[in-house]
Amino acid sequence: MNVVVQVGLVLLAVGALSGWAVMLKVAFPDVLRRAGVQSPRRLLQAHIDFIVMGVILIAVGTALPDLATWNRVLLIVGTIVNPALFLPLAWRESIADTLAYRVVTVLSFSAMSIATVGAAVAGLQA
């Protein structure tokens, strides 16, 4: 099995497991408060995004098993980092105002944009 599909399956599992944090918000909100979570909706966003990114990787990896290495790397990095960017916001929304967070966000979204367009071009040329 190619690495893009494998990482996709892992992200799908991370997304499924992160649903427990979403459940805590509903069933036991004090647990998240004690853990310092100030914006539980960010956990929901990460949960959904990890699942979506996992599905993207599984689909692209299945459709394009011979995708160029540079494209695989950018796609994998983007699909891991993008949903992970929601996690620090759950504890502190103001982290989005820091230069480091903004730089990582721009780089991650750039990686996803380049990688998905690259995959589309590769698929159309196949």
Side-chain angles (χ1 to χ4, degrees):
M1 183 181 302
N2 92 40
V3 68
V4 176
V5 173
Q6 289 175 327
V7 174
L9 291 169
V10 170
L11 289 183
L12 197 57
V14 168
L17 290 172
S18 67
W20 285 99
V22 176
M23 180 277 304
L24 287 175
K25 181 192 180 306
V26 174
F28 304 101
D30 287 344
V31 171
L32 291 180
R33 267 186 245 124
R34 281 184 297 210
V37 173
Q38 296 178 5
S39 298
R41 77 178 197 280
R42 297 302 192 166
L43 298 177
L44 174 62
Q45 288 177 295
H47 162 69
I48 293 167
D49 213 24
F50 275 120
I51 291 170
V52 169
M53 295 300 176
V55 171
I56 288 170
L57 287 181
I58 293 165
V60 172
T62 300
L64 302 169
D66 298 323
L67 191 62
T69 302
W70 70 266
N71 210 149
R72 289 178 189 211
V73 169
L74 286 180
L75 192 60
I76 290 169
V77 168
T79 56
I80 292 171
V81 175
N82 276 4
L85 285 167
F86 289 115
L87 298 175
L89 299 176
W91 278 267
R92 190 169 58 118
E93 290 275 355
S94 64
I95 200 161
D97 298 330
T98 66
L99 178 61
Y101 187 89
R102 289 178 180 200
V103 168
V104 172
T105 300
V106 168
L107 291 174
S108 178
F109 277 82
S110 297
M112 277 301 293
S113 297
I114 293 166
T116 54
V117 170
V121 169
L124 292 171
Q125 291 177 345

